[in-house]
């Protein structure tokens, strides 16, 4: 049981509007919202700050960053998971789908793709069961089509593993995220310290993998997502044809489409488009793909993901609110829309009976300042 919490003199971001008033939390739920301030004893005066639902993150690689803070460093997993959990709470994220890669390269250790997802999932779920974690964690399996062991790794999971999303990823150079091979070369050589000969060998190796396993791995990913009861997502769709294939598989979310044509095709087929918060904040894609802001201006952006910068999620949502002249709509891209997309209908909006996940932030400068995070009515930041 949690204490009765009353937040007053707040700008409360509802699903369709912002009101000035008071919100009450009790036993982990929202029990009252009113459009008037209160001076009842114990009420916390928010001095006009915004109150919004806790943010829902569908795709973040942040846990992997804590696991390997430097190349070839394997940080203790318990410490990494807890640090990741605390960081997200401190950025206003109250529900996260931790993106873990499945599909490894075992024939050549120089390719930097070892297996880890099954063990880490077991560790993460144990910490969740022991109530060590401050926010709500779910699993997002990133199925690497261009790998050697995807089918075997997927088989190690089941419906009990809280797998909410399975995304199909094909990072073969020359298509999708890296249509421009030179941009992929800049990325790969910088990340893996490859020279020209090493890069050519690396690319040819990936081409062979895609040719050998691509179709088989796609089919297995679709089947396993259904077995898990997970939502299926595509990744880096570039062409209308790729979106059509995604749609035929039952994809309901498109992560980071790289062109306006792909985003238009997703919109036409009812596939939610997810774009990266860093793309919004930086004013464009680091890979040279379509700018998220352009999609927002054309009504083709449904959900934001922090991707690789958790603190960017709130900043980008507020920027969208300013762009659209509608703060409620901006915040919906990180709250209601992602929650609905994965079927978590108990959260993502401030409404009676909903889970008391919420954040407090000030917005008096160009960068919103997070001042508090509550998860199921408990203050976690």
């Amino acid at each position: 049981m949690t204490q009765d919490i009353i937040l007053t003199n707040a700008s409360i971001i509802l699903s369709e509007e912002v009101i000035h008033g008071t919100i009450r939390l009790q036993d982990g739920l929202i029990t009252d919202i009113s459009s008037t301030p209160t001076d009842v004893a114990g009420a916390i005066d928010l001095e006009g700050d915004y109150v919004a639902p806790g943010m829902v993150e569908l795709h973040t690689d942040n846990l992997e960053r804590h696991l390997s803070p430097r190349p070839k460093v394997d940080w203790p997993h318990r410490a990494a998971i807890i640090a990741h959990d605390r960081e997200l709470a401190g950025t206003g994220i109250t529900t996260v789908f931790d993106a873990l890669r499945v599909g490894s390269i075992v024939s050549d250790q120089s390719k930097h793709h070892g297996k880890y997802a099954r063990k880490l999932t077991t560790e993460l779920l144990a910490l969740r069961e022991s109530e060590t974690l401050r926010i709500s964690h779910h699993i997002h399996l990133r199925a690497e089509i261009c790998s050697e062991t995807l089918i075997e790794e997927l088989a190690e999971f089941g419906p009990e593993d809280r797998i909410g999303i399975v995304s199909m990823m094909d990072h073969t150079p020359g298509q999708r995220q890296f249509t421009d091979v030179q941009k992929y070369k800049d990325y790969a050589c910088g990340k893996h310290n490859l020279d020209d000969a090493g890069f050519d060998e690396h690319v040819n190796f990936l081409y062979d993998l895609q040719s050998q396993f691509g179709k088989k791995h796609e089919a297995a990913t679709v089947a396993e997502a259904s077995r898990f009861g997970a939502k299926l997502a595509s990744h880096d769709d570039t062409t209308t044809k790729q979106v059509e294939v995604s749609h035929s598989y039952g994809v309901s979310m498109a992560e980071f489409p790289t062109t306006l044509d792909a985003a238009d095709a997703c919109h036409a087929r009812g596939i939610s488009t997810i774009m990266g918060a860093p793309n919004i904040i930086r004013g464009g894609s680091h890979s040279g793909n379509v700018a998220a802001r352009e999609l927002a201006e054309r009504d083709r952006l449904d959900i934001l993901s922090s991707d690789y910068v958790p603190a960017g999620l709130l900043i980008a949502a507020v920027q969208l609110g300013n762009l659209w002249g509608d703060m409620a709509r901006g915040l919906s891209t990180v709250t209601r829309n992602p929650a609905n997309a994965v079927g978590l209908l108990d959260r993502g909006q401030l409404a009676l009976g909903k889970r008391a996940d919420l954040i407090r932030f000030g917005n008096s400068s160009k960068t919103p300042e997070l001042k508090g995070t509550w998860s199921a009515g408990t203050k976690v930041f």
Side-chain angles (χ1 to χ4, degrees):
M1 303 290 285
T2 59
Q3 67 183 72
D4 192 9
I5 299 171
I6 303 173
L7 307 175
T8 193
N9 191 19
S11 299
I12 303 170
I13 303 178
L14 303 177
S15 295
E16 306 292 341
E17 62 177 337
V18 180
I19 66 170
H20 187 76
T22 302
I23 184 167
R24 181 189 294 262
L25 319 176
Q26 189 172 30
D27 297 335
L29 300 176
I30 298 170
T31 56
D32 188 56
I33 301 173
S34 69
S35 58
T36 55
T38 180
D39 58 1
V40 66
I44 302 171
D45 184 353
L46 299 196
E47 301 178 338
D49 284 345
Y50 282 109
V51 171
M55 294 186 291
V56 179
E57 171 57 73
L58 300 186
H59 179 131
T60 176
D61 304 330
N62 191 61
L63 178 53
E64 291 183 344
R65 180 175 65 83
H66 282 278
L67 291 170
S68 184
R70 289 290 187 272
K72 300 182 181 180
V73 171
D74 184 18
W75 201 248
H77 288 188
R78 177 185 172 89
I81 294 168
I82 292 173
H84 163 67
D85 172 76
R86 303 310 193 251
E87 180 181 355
L88 297 194
T91 64
I93 295 169
T94 53
T95 298
V96 60
F97 286 73
D98 292 311
L100 309 180
R101 173 182 50 78
V102 282
S104 306
I105 295 174
V106 296
S107 63
D108 186 343
Q109 293 302 310
S110 69
K111 299 298 186 296
H112 309 284
H113 280 75
K115 173 184 170 182
Y116 72 95
R118 175 63 267 178
K119 182 176 185 294
L120 187 62
T121 296
T122 299
E123 293 168 324
L124 196 155
L125 293 179
L127 286 172
R128 179 184 178 276
E129 186 67 22
S130 66
E131 299 185 354
T132 302
L133 304 178
R134 293 182 179 177
I135 68 171
S136 178
H137 287 258
H138 305 252
I139 303 300
H140 173 161
L141 293 181
R142 298 189 290 109
E144 288 290 348
I145 302 303
C146 194
S147 67
E148 295 172 329
T149 63
L150 177 58
I151 293 175
E152 294 86 345
E153 290 189 41
L154 285 170
E156 296 178 335
F157 292 87
E160 69 280 3
D161 288 312
R162 291 174 62 84
I163 301 167
I165 303 171
V166 176
S167 56
M168 294 185 290
M169 301 205 171
D170 186 350
H171 289 116
T172 308
Q175 49 91 60
R176 295 186 180 267
Q177 182 179 6
F178 291 106
T179 302
D180 186 333
V181 176
Q182 181 59 48
K183 288 189 177 294
Y184 179 73
K185 183 176 183 179
D186 295 341
Y187 167 81
C189 290
K191 183 174 183 179
H192 302 307
N193 194 30
L194 300 173
D195 58 17
D196 287 349
F199 175 75
D200 290 342
E201 187 276 332
H202 176 71
V203 168
N204 288 331
F205 179 84
L206 294 179
Y207 285 158
D208 288 343
L209 278 184
Q210 212 281 341
S211 176
Q212 183 177 356
F213 295 110
K215 293 299 182 183
K216 181 166 59 175
H217 281 177
E218 282 189 6
T221 300
V222 173
E224 293 293 73
S226 177
R227 180 172 70 89
F228 302 148
K231 301 293 184 180
L232 188 64
S234 62
H235 194 76
D236 297 329
D237 286 330
T238 300
T239 67
T240 298
K241 183 176 180 180
Q242 286 173 343
V243 174
E244 289 173 350
V245 172
S246 296
H247 186 254
S248 73
Y249 287 152
V251 162
S252 61
M253 295 175 285
E255 298 184 317
F256 320 128
T258 66
T259 65
L260 178 58
D261 284 347
D264 283 341
C266 289
H267 183 76
R269 290 161 180 78
I271 298 173
S272 297
T273 294
I274 302 173
M275 294 299 286
N279 190 319
I280 290 286
I281 295 165
R282 295 178 67 254
S285 164
H286 74 277
S287 302
N289 298 318
V290 70
R293 186 174 292 269
E294 179 180 358
L295 298 191
E297 291 169 344
R298 294 173 178 264
D299 194 26
R300 295 293 184 266
L301 192 162
D302 303 302
I303 297 168
L304 283 176
S305 164
S306 69
D307 198 6
Y308 55 93
V309 186
L313 199 58
L314 179 58
I315 298 170
V318 170
Q319 288 186 2
L320 284 182
N322 292 332
L323 173 68
W324 287 326
D326 185 342
M327 195 59 67
R329 183 184 177 193
L331 267 291
S332 72
T333 64
V334 297
T335 56
R336 180 183 57 176
N337 294 357
N340 288 348
V342 292
L344 292 179
L345 305 183
D346 64 335
R347 67 197 71 185
Q349 56 182 307
L350 301 181
L352 299 185
K354 298 295 184 182
R355 179 178 161 112
D357 291 350
L358 66 159
I359 60 175
R360 171 191 179 182
F361 67 94
N363 193 34
S364 58
S365 65
K366 291 184 178 180
T367 302
E369 177 190 356
L370 186 74
K371 299 183 180 180
T373 304
W374 289 262
S375 178
T378 298
K379 198 169 192 298
V380 294
F381 173 78

